[in-house]
Structure formats: structure tokens, C-alpha cells
Amino acid sequence: MTLNDLHTGDAAVIVQLHGSGAFRKRLTEMGFVKGQPVRVVKSTPFKGPVEYRIMSGTVSLRRSEAMLIDVSVSLAEHANGTVKFSPVFTESRDENNGFHEGKKINVALVGNPNSGKTTLFNRISRSNERVANYSGVTVGSKEAVMNYKGYELTFTDLPGTYSLSAYSDDEIIVREFLSENRPDIVVNVVDAGNPERHLYLTSQLIDMGIKVIIALNMYDDLQERGDVLDISMLGRLTGIPIVPTIGRHGKGIYRLLNRLIQVVEEREPVTRHIHINYGKEIEQSINTIEKEFERYQEKLSDQHLRYYAVRALEKDDYCIHKLASFEGFEEVRPLINNEINRIEQLYKDDTETVISNARYAFIAGALKETYKKGKRDRALSRTQRIDRVLTNKYLGLPIFLAILFIMFQATYVLGQYPMNWIEAGVDWIGTSLSHFIPAGMVHDFLINGVIGGVGGVIVFLPNILILFFIISLMEDTGYMARTAFIMDRVMHIFGLHGKSFIPLVMGFGCNVPALMATRMLENKRDRILTMLIIPFMSCSARLPVYILVAGAVFPNRAGNVVFLMYLIGILFSVVMALLFKSTIFKKSEAPFVMELPPYRTPGMRMVLRHMWFKGSQYLKKMGGVILVASIVIWALGYFPRNVEFSRDYESLIAAEKGGPEEISESENSENQSVQHTPAQAEERIRQLEISMENERQASSYIGKLGRAIEPVIEPLGFDWKMGVSLLAGFAAKEVVVSTMGVLYQVSDSEENTVSLQQKLSDQVYTEGKKKGQKVYKPLSAFSFLIFVLLYLPCVSVIVTIGREAGSWKWSGFVIFYTTFLAWFASFCVYQIGSLF
């Protein structure tokens, strides 16, 4: 029977794995090896992935992948099939390599995804790199330098990887760094809650022959469950010093640094180089190949020879490709193939699986001597209780949608109060400066250009902070990984990988890190497909536009409108994914294999730090691209000054200010014999100022630009100011708001100070067939929001797509197709809506 034949709660033992290639390798690295017990935890709705309990952790597989794993329900029959302790060959210790005080030490942090590696890196180096409770957060190497006990320690935080068999782009970074850079020592971060799985990577580091020290992280979880681990004995068996750490609390950091230096200085008694015994037949093949590799000793260190021999037996493409560049390798290749064929015929299995089983046998044997599980498993039971609700077969999807609804409602409703306070403060600054700066270009530049542009955007900072706070909670608790588990079946229908959902949700915060997070996808097709639709995820930069326009036109339903925009973005993303699947990307999709981390209480310090980091990035934009864009927009709207108006506005305004006597003496036919009360005169002046400013802006450089594009945007229900705002938004979507803040500054008087939302709500056409009609009617406003949602992303996103996809043609494609789609969708919304 296969793993797919089991029902929820059933347990069995793995007998054999079918399939081939990277998928099979990944399964073995995740612990799906012969003789390993496995239990079905739960399944998702719509016959989606199934969650399995294996090696003290949970892994989700699609049913199609589970069908490739043969199991037996008779636990006693196969439980001890491979769990035998493999003895090791002990080699002599290396002599001191000359390290001394003042010398630099290059340290690489390596570990499985979600092992707390980056948290440890932040504690050691006092950095602020992003951490979260799911795999794939670190998508590139990060570096930090510190001085400790006379050494300059350079720490490199590498992406999480289950093994040195590189499948995804971030795992390739780890492999190449260790092979090419050869760090002085590797800190292997191991999750104390699941040592059996995490020590698989350790076994490969042992083969590699580099200095290693283990940081047994999250040690408090092990203690809380009542587990007992003989750290000293395990260190002696593996030849690697082990230091317990609790990264999130900073405990064990200095002990780790002290032991690290002792290892580098060759003063650590535990450190010794061992060889894992893979069994008589495999060792014979390793020795045969290793002898042939002795011809490459000058290019490969002695310790590397055995590593490359093992990797060659595993048919590792990276190592074979590197060896193929050496002279005479073609003479060795037949020998390697002969040894591979001999092992596979002997064991009736491929060499990758045979060696993986041997590694796990070594690990299981070592833990059998040193590790004893306690009777309690609080973390597991807590995770199971929470998952019974959050990933329930029927409730999981509705709960997720409810969480999204609450997130966006809270973003608007809770953010409205501090937003109003900041808006009042910006108005006060503008009004105060108006009293001290005389009228003129400088006055207009500061009030309408700088304060109007930057101030119009900065008021939305509270909304941004609330959004990132909630997203950080989802990431740090471990719920973000569950969203991929819940949504995989739905995503699969549209040609997307379940893991793609994590970058998509991250896109709600910012598209750039979301694009980089696609590195967690092993298949390049899935990566590019995901990158093509991430721009439809409404990033935090679009949020101010949604809130501004929705608050101006739909004040009583603004929160619902904002939530609707996010849902429409998701809908467009899946529809376009389905279209791309049937046209550009027709190849089969990669398997779904994903570890589900236990739920953890989020560290409020890290949540608030991440929230503020994103908020500070938003503030930095105020003094960067948004300030520059506001100044440019102001200058284009301020010049030229020699404008010929249709009426003598200055005389008309002066007449209104002069009172009834001046009005009766005016030569203007409109004002002859007209008597205005003070309130009417004030309103009349305001209308004259608006008309004058509209005419002046229409004759400015930016007005001429807007008029030039008006034929293209008029069918969408936009006026030229809306069109110019959209053009400016290419630099950054916040610039749409700052541009509006500049364009709609039509009055400087304290009495007429109103919010930007109110100014949008009051806008009317001053000429043409729509004269007197509101510019921002519900239909045109909704059409505008659709365009903002769909049209080309900002410059940073375009550049990131080109770099991550490996070709700038994808950047050009995104610019073209998103803009066309935005225009077409807005056209349909406005034209069809106008019929009703």
C-alpha cells in the first residue's frame, strides 16, 4: 500500500520510495527513508495536501506525491530496518593552522530552514535581518563583522537548506559559498526540537571536511518537553563541539563564540575529523573513486577528496560539473559509473537513496546513544490544538479569508485616528509657515510643493504600521506556512505551487522582498510564473491611494472598498496564472513538499522591530523619491508663469474683497448691481481662486502633459490630473498621493484648509461637456482604483524582476502586460458601468 492509502490518524513504516530526480532526493532529506515511522495528521479540503508527522516534525505532501511512497502498517516488521549505529573512522587532529590574535576569522552560519539561524545571527552581530517562523525568509547571504577576544569575526548568514544537494536558488548560494569561499569555520544551527532531521545536513558537513561547531538552538523547547540529550557524548560521536543556545533570548551566545575560537585555534578537545561508515560495499566504492581523485590533490584539498567521491556516487550534478573541468576526468567517469551501477544492482535501489539511508542510520544510531524523549510534548500538542481550528478541512479557508478581512479593516479603521492627528499636524505646519513666509515662489514651493506633496503621503504612516504589524504576527507565529498548506489545492488549479502563496501574501507588504522570496521555489518555471503575478498583490505603497480615494468617495464603506481591492488583486493574479499556465508555461509543476513549523509565541520585540523597520523605510522615501517627485511635479505645475486667463480673476477677487461699494462700481457685467453678503463673498472668492488655479495648472508644463495623454485616459473616466498622478506613480506608488497633494493645493488661506480627501471629493470639471460634474464620482473613482491596482509596478519591482528572473525581457513583459491589462480593465469598468 502507499502513503496515500492511509487515513487521518493512521501510522505506518516507510518501505520504499518511487520516483526519481530532485523530488526523491528532497523526500529523503526530509526524513522519508526506509524504516522510518510516519503518521497521518490531517488533510486539506478539495483533496489538497496531507500533513504527516515524521521525525518529530510535520511535513505536507500532495496526494500524488504520497502515492509514490510504499508503506507498511506493520510497525514491528520494518521499524528497525536501517536504524543501526554506523561506526566511524577517526582521523588524527590537524596541527595548528597558524591562527593567532588579531587574525580574521570567516564564519558561515548554516542550518535547515526555520532553525533560528537568522535570529542567532542578529543576536551575535546585533543586526536586524528579517526573521519569521517559516522557511525561505533568508533569500541571500547577509554579512556582519564583530571583534571578539582579539579576533575580527566576519559572520555570513546563509539561506536555510536541508542539504548540500542544491535544488532552489537559495540552496545553491549555500553550496557555492561553502565550496568556493571555504570559511574558516561553520556554525551549524540545529533545531533542538528535531535533531534527527537537522543532523542530516551536519553529516554532509562532516563529509566535506571543514571545521564545524553546532549551535543547538531553541534548547528551551527541548527542556520544556522533558527530553534529555547527552550533548557531550553526541559531540564525541560526531567529532563536533555542541553548544546549547536560545537565539530569541540571546542565551548561549558567548559560550558559542568562546568554543568557536577554541575550535579555530585547535584547542577544542572534542573536535576531530571523522568518516561516516556507509557500509562495506559503499566504502569500497568510495575508496576506489577517492584514489582516482588523488590526481586532483592540487586542486582539491585532501579532505575534499572523500567528499567529492561520496558526491560522485550520489550523482551530484554540481560536483560532476566541477570535476569535468579537470584534465583527464573523462578517463575517471566510466569508473564512477561502474561503481554506481554495482551499488544499485547490489542494493536494488539508486545510490542517492542508499547513501541517504546510511546517513540517517548513522544519525539514528548516534541519537539512540544520546537522546531520550520525554513524556511531554507541549509544543506539539499546542500546535495540534491550534491546527485543529486554523487548518481544519472545512474551516481553514474561511478563517484565512476572515483574517485578511480583519487585517484590512483594522488597517483602515484603527489607522484613521492617528492619521487624522498627523493630518492636523501637517496642516498646522503649513498654516504656521504661511504666516512667516511672504507670498511668492518660495512660499508656494514650501507649502504646496514640499508640505503638500510629502505631507499628503506621511499621514498614511499609521496604516502602513498596522498592516506590517499584522503580517509580522502571521509570519512569526507560523501561520504563514499554513496558508501555503491550505491554499495549495486552489493554487494548483491555477498552475501555481502552494509555496507560491507565501510570496504572494508577502506582496501585501512590499513586492520587492516577495519577489526575492520566490527563491524558496525549486522549479524556475514556478518562480517566474509567481513573479509575473506578484505585482497584482496590493503592496503597502498602494494602500495610501486606496485609503485616500475610498475615503473621499466612499466614506462610509471605505474599509470594505480597500478589502475589495485586495481581493480583486488576488482574483486577477490567479486568472493570469491560469492564462500563463496554458500559454507560456505548459510544463508540469514541481511537487509540493513543505515542512510545517510548530506554532511559536511571537516575540513582540521582533514584531515591533520589523514593523518599525518597514515604517522607517516608508519614512526614508519621504526624504528621497517622494520629496524629489513632489518638487519635480510642483515645478512642472508652477511654470510657466505668464499665463493668459480667460477672465480677469485678480480684478474679480479684488472686487469681492472690496465689499458692495467696489462691486457696484466694477465694470464687469457679472458684478454690476450684485450685492453679496460676507459669507457669499467668501464663497465667491473661493470659487474664483479654484477656477484661476485650474486654468493656470492647465497651462503649465504638467497641464500640457496631462492634456496630451487625456485622449487615452478619458475613456476610463479620468481627468488629466489623475493621468499625471498615474504617470508619476511609476517611480513609487506613494508618489500618486504626493502628486495629488501638489496638484490639488488650490488655497493657502488658513480658513480654507481642508484635507486632501475633501479636496478630491469637491473636485468638479470646469470646462467641456462635463463642466460642473464631480471628477471623483463612484464609478470613475473605482475605475481609477482598478488602474492603480493593476498597472505597471514601481521601478524597484521592475529591476528586481529582471535580476531574479535572470533576464530583463521579463521586466519589459511585466511593464507591457500589466499596463495594458490595467487600461482594459478600467475601460470595461467605466464604460459598462456608464450604461447603468
Side-chain angles (χ1 to χ4, degrees):
M1 65 186 304
T2 68
L3 190 60
N4 189 53
D5 296 324
L6 302 180
H7 301 287
T8 300
D10 289 350
V13 165
I14 296 172
V15 176
Q16 187 177 4
L17 267 68
H18 299 285
S20 61
F23 165 67
R24 181 165 178 162
K25 284 184 179 180
R26 177 47 49 94
L27 281 181
T28 58
E29 293 163 2
M30 299 287 283
F32 289 88
V33 293
K34 184 178 179 181
Q36 189 64 232
V38 60
R39 182 181 296 276
V40 183
V41 179
K42 71 168 70 65
S43 60
T44 52
F46 315 117
K47 295 185 178 181
V50 180
E51 181 181 347
Y52 299 98
R53 181 74 176 171
I54 188 168
M55 286 191 179
S56 301
T58 53
V59 179
S60 57
L61 299 176
R62 289 199 188 112
R63 296 174 187 271
S64 56
E65 279 94 57
M67 293 176 64
L68 299 175
I69 304 174
D70 290 340
V71 297
S72 171
V73 294
S74 177
L75 297 178
E77 181 181 355
H78 295 285
N80 297 318
T82 61
V83 185
K84 297 179 181 179
F85 181 65
S86 297
V88 298
F89 300 115
T90 304
E91 289 193 343
S92 60
R93 292 163 53 89
D94 295 333
E95 296 182 1
N96 193 297
N97 53 15
F99 273 90
H100 53 80
E101 285 196 13
K103 191 175 178 82
K104 297 179 180 179
I105 302 177
N106 294 316
V107 186
L109 270 70
V110 176
N112 281 202
N114 205 49
S115 61
K117 177 174 48 60
T118 300
T119 301
L120 205 63
F121 174 78
N122 286 339
R123 285 287 185 173
I124 292 174
S125 61
R126 297 182 181 179
S127 302
N128 293 305
E129 296 299 333
R130 180 70 187 109
V131 296
N133 190 19
Y134 63 91
S135 63
V137 180
T138 304
V139 293
S141 60
K142 308 292 190 306
E143 194 172 279
V145 180
M146 70 173 296
N147 293 310
Y148 187 73
K149 291 191 172 180
Y151 284 100
E152 182 181 289
L153 305 176
T154 301
F155 288 91
T156 303
D157 179 28
L158 297 170
T161 179
Y162 292 104
S163 78
L164 297 180
S165 300
Y167 307 129
S168 61
D169 286 4
D170 51 356
E171 292 176 332
I172 291 174
I173 293 174
V174 179
R175 165 83 146 258
E176 290 184 347
F177 185 89
L178 295 180
S179 298
E180 306 300 331
N181 293 62
R182 291 291 291 178
D184 299 312
I185 187 169
V186 170
V187 175
N188 180 202
V189 184
V190 172
D191 182 358
N194 192 1
E196 189 171 9
R197 163 113 36 84
H198 286 242
L199 287 172
Y200 184 89
L201 176 60
T202 308
S203 69
Q204 292 183 316
L205 294 173
I206 290 173
D207 283 341
M208 206 169 193
I210 55 181
K211 288 185 172 63
V212 181
I213 182 171
I214 291 177
L216 193 64
N217 202 27
M218 294 180 272
Y219 192 69
D220 52 336
D221 289 350
L222 180 143
Q223 293 176 317
E224 185 179 315
R225 292 195 304 269
D227 295 353
V228 177
L229 178 63
D230 189 338
I231 295 174
S232 299
M233 174 63 77
L234 183 60
R236 289 195 296 271
L237 291 174
T238 59
I240 300 174
I242 302 174
V243 180
T245 60
I246 306 175
R248 60 181 178 270
H249 298 311
K251 294 184 178 180
I253 299 298
Y254 290 106
R255 287 197 300 270
L256 178 66
L257 293 175
N258 291 334
R259 294 287 290 276
L260 182 153
I261 291 175
Q262 288 176 3
V263 172
V264 171
E265 293 179 340
E266 304 291 350
R267 295 189 293 107
E268 171 55 57
V270 174
T271 300
R272 60 196 175 98
H273 184 61
I274 68 171
H275 285 170
I276 298 173
N277 187 351
Y278 290 105
K280 179 181 177 181
E281 299 297 335
I282 299 177
E283 285 295 333
Q284 178 182 326
S285 295
I286 293 173
N287 292 334
T288 300
I289 297 173
E290 188 177 0
K291 287 180 180 178
E292 293 296 326
F293 284 176
E294 288 179 358
R295 67 180 70 183
Y296 306 130
Q297 275 188 342
E298 294 182 1
K299 297 180 179 180
L300 301 173
S301 66
D302 291 339
Q303 292 180 350
H304 261 81
L305 296 182
R306 178 177 171 86
Y307 168 73
Y308 276 98
V310 174
R311 301 303 287 177
L313 276 178
E314 291 183 290
K315 296 178 280 192
D316 185 84
D317 291 337
Y318 180 86
C319 287
I320 295 296
H321 178 74
K322 183 173 182 177
L323 291 167
S325 63
F326 298 160
E327 184 180 353
F329 178 72
E330 292 305 319
E331 300 174 7
V332 182
R333 192 190 292 269
L335 183 143
I336 296 174
N337 293 333
N338 289 337
E339 294 299 328
I340 290 174
N341 293 332
R342 186 181 71 84
I343 295 296
E344 291 183 343
Q345 290 176 8
L346 186 63
Y347 286 89
K348 308 300 181 185
D349 209 341
D350 62 85
T351 53
E352 301 126 289
T353 303
V354 172
I355 293 177
S356 293
N357 289 342
R359 283 200 178 101
Y360 273 118
F362 164 71
I363 294 167
L367 291 177
K368 186 177 181 180
E369 300 285 329
T370 58
Y371 185 54
K372 182 179 180 182
K373 285 192 175 184
K375 297 180 179 179
R376 298 176 298 168
D377 196 343
R378 295 178 181 175
L380 173 59
S381 61
R382 178 181 60 191
T383 295
Q384 287 179 327
R385 289 195 301 269
I386 297 173
D387 269 345
R388 283 173 188 160
V389 179
L390 295 185
T391 61
N392 182 273
K393 186 174 182 179
Y394 304 104
L395 299 177
L397 186 56
I399 288 175
F400 173 64
L401 293 176
I403 290 173
L404 288 183
F405 178 77
I406 293 170
M407 178 172 71
F408 299 125
Q409 283 288 343
T411 298
Y412 179 79
V413 176
L414 297 181
Q416 196 68 31
Y417 300 100
M419 174 182 166
N420 291 335
W421 301 335
I422 297 175
E423 190 172 58
V426 171
D427 289 341
W428 178 82
I429 293 173
T431 303
S432 300
L433 286 176
S434 295
H435 293 312
F436 296 102
I437 302 175
M441 187 175 72
V442 175
H443 176 280
D444 198 277
F445 168 73
L446 291 176
I447 304 301
N448 295 341
V450 177
I451 296 178
V454 176
V457 181
I458 200 172
V459 297
F460 298 101
L461 177 62
N463 309 91
I464 302 298
L465 293 177
I466 292 172
L467 176 66
F468 277 109
F469 177 78
I470 298 175
I471 290 178
S472 295
L473 286 178
M474 293 173 62
E475 292 179 334
D476 288 4
T477 56
Y479 182 68
M480 188 68 82
R482 266 73 185 179
T483 63
F485 175 68
I486 295 169
M487 295 296 295
D488 177 70
R489 180 59 180 172
V490 178
M491 303 290 281
H492 188 57
I493 294 173
F494 296 101
L496 291 167
H497 196 282
K499 289 183 182 180
S500 298
F501 197 70
I502 293 179
L504 292 176
V505 175
M506 289 177 64
F508 290 148
C510 180
N511 286 174
V512 173
L515 290 166
M516 298 179 69
T518 59
R519 294 180 186 178
M520 70 172 66
L521 300 170
E522 292 85 358
N523 188 294
K524 187 173 182 180
R525 166 202 172 276
D526 293 328
R527 285 197 66 204
I528 295 178
L529 178 55
T530 305
M531 282 190 278
L532 292 181
I533 63 173
I534 280 177
F536 295 136
M537 298 295 103
S538 296
C539 63
S540 59
R542 290 185 175 98
L543 183 61
V545 187
Y546 297 162
I547 294 174
L548 174 65
V549 177
V553 185
F554 312 98
N556 297 324
R557 299 183 298 275
N560 294 337
V561 172
V562 172
F563 178 62
L564 179 62
M565 298 311 301
Y566 281 86
L567 286 184
I568 292 174
I570 295 174
L571 176 62
F572 268 94
S573 68
V574 296
V575 170
M576 293 308 300
L578 187 61
L579 177 63
F580 290 144
K581 176 187 176 182
S582 59
T583 54
I584 303 176
F585 305 101
K586 293 185 178 181
K587 295 181 180 180
S588 60
E589 189 175 297
F592 181 81
V593 183
M594 185 174 183
E595 184 177 11
L596 299 178
Y599 286 104
R600 302 190 189 279
T601 303
M604 292 309 298
R605 176 182 175 185
M606 295 304 300
V607 170
L608 293 175
R609 177 182 290 178
H610 179 235
M611 178 191 74
W612 177 245
F613 175 72
K614 292 298 182 182
S616 64
Q617 287 184 318
Y618 186 75
L619 289 175
K620 286 177 182 178
K621 284 187 178 181
M622 303 298 106
V625 63
I626 293 175
L627 176 61
V628 173
S630 299
I631 293 173
V632 171
I633 295 297
W634 170 84
L636 291 175
Y638 190 78
F639 298 101
R641 302 303 295 171
N642 54 338
V643 177
E644 293 185 7
F645 295 103
S646 62
R647 294 188 293 174
D648 189 356
Y649 287 104
E650 293 183 358
S651 297
L652 293 173
I653 293 172
E656 292 289 348
K657 290 181 178 179
E661 296 79 6
E662 286 194 37
I663 294 175
S664 61
E665 296 173 2
S666 173
E667 296 179 358
N668 191 295
S669 60
E670 293 183 26
N671 292 321
Q672 290 178 2
S673 70
V674 176
Q675 297 287 325
H676 289 162
T677 64
Q680 290 174 329
E682 183 178 339
E683 176 61 22
R684 173 69 175 168
I685 291 171
R686 191 176 78 87
Q687 292 300 328
L688 288 170
E689 287 177 340
I690 291 175
S691 298
M692 181 180 178
E693 180 63 18
N694 284 334
E695 278 196 39
R696 191 194 65 75
Q697 284 189 340
S699 300
S700 67
Y701 294 124
I702 201 168
K704 293 176 182 178
L705 175 62
R707 297 293 185 182
I709 65 172
E710 203 164 28
V712 179
I713 61 175
E714 187 176 9
L716 314 182
F718 305 164
D719 72 342
W720 70 266
K721 292 183 181 180
M722 298 164 78
V724 168
S725 299
L726 292 171
L727 282 179
F730 178 58
K733 291 298 173 284
E734 298 96 337
V735 178
V736 173
V737 176
S738 66
T739 301
M740 290 180 169
V742 174
L743 294 178
Y744 293 122
Q745 295 295 329
V746 297
S747 176
D748 299 333
S749 63
E750 181 178 359
E751 295 79 14
N752 291 328
T753 298
V754 293
S755 69
L756 183 55
Q757 283 185 339
Q758 187 61 47
K759 289 173 182 176
L760 263 61
S761 181
D762 294 341
Q763 285 297 303
V764 295
Y765 288 98
T766 57
E767 59 185 11
K769 60 183 180 181
K770 293 183 180 180
K771 185 175 181 179
Q773 297 181 22
K774 279 186 172 292
V775 175
Y776 287 89
K777 294 186 293 186
L779 185 58
S780 60
F782 188 69
S783 174
F784 181 76
L785 290 177
I786 291 292
F787 198 96
V788 171
L789 165 66
L790 300 178
Y791 88 118
L792 57 87
C794 65
V795 175
S796 299
V797 173
I798 293 299
V799 172
T800 304
I801 289 175
R803 289 176 177 172
E804 294 296 314
S807 174
W808 294 105
K809 69 178 182 181
W810 293 113
S811 296
F813 177 71
V814 168
I815 292 174
F816 171 78
Y817 103 86
T818 55
T819 304
F820 171 78
L821 186 63
W823 189 94
F824 182 75
S826 294
F827 177 84
C828 292
V829 167
Y830 186 74
Q831 295 299 327
I832 295 175
S834 298
L835 299 177
F836 298 95

